[in-house]
Amino acid sequence: QVQLVESGGGSVQAGGSLRLSCAASGRTFSINAMGWFRQAPGKEREFVGVILWSASTTYYADSVKGRFTISRDNAKNTVYLQMNSLKPEDTAVYYCAAEKSSVVARWASAYDYWGQGTQVTVSS
């Protein structure tokens, strides 16, 4: 089992920045990739980005490319989501997730473990 705990959410004005953290514990050796997803009220969970656990390779949704950056600190078993130039449409609950398979997926069903989520609110 892998446990994921997110932190760093909050409220910010448009154009501002936030950094989310996701700390992993447990059987972290089984993780292949760590993804970030978000879900706004009344909408489906949406892929934000993903980073390989053992490399620096990242992939992002077009909606956040150039504004969001995912990084990791393996010594701390922590993944970060740096969010810059935030927009009101970025408002959502943000989740980190861990994937065991070798497929670096953009769909939520591929992920095996999920954090509890952290709220990000961007006001105009």
Side-chain angles (χ1 to χ4, degrees):
Q1 288 283 4
V2 173
Q3 295 78 42
L4 303 174
V5 178
E6 298 113 337
S7 60
S11 298
V12 65
Q13 288 192 328
S17 299
L18 282 173
R19 189 178 80 156
L20 306 184
S21 301
C22 175
S25 61
R27 299 170 65 89
T28 58
F29 60 85
S30 66
I31 299 173
N32 175 60
M34 293 287 293
W36 285 96
F37 291 78
R38 64 187 182 186
Q39 189 165 18
K43 294 188 177 182
E44 293 187 353
R45 195 162 294 192
E46 174 189 24
F47 171 78
V48 174
V50 60
I51 187 168
L52 294 182
W53 188 246
S54 59
S56 298
T57 306
T58 53
Y59 302 94
Y60 298 96
D62 288 343
S63 59
V64 306
K65 200 174 295 183
R67 299 188 298 123
F68 290 12
T69 302
I70 299 174
S71 61
R72 59 176 175 75
D73 184 336
N74 280 22
K76 297 182 178 180
N77 285 337
T78 299
V79 172
Y80 304 96
L81 178 65
Q82 177 67 45
M83 304 183 293
N84 299 329
S85 302
L86 282 161
K87 305 175 181 180
E89 51 264 43
D90 294 319
T91 295
V93 177
Y94 283 71
Y95 299 89
C96 67
E99 181 187 16
K100 295 190 296 183
S101 79
S102 60
V103 176
V104 182
R106 294 175 178 246
W107 54 95
S109 60
Y111 287 77
D112 303 282
Y113 306 102
W114 290 83
Q116 80 285 0
T118 185
Q119 177 70 46
V120 171
T121 302
V122 184
S123 57
S124 57

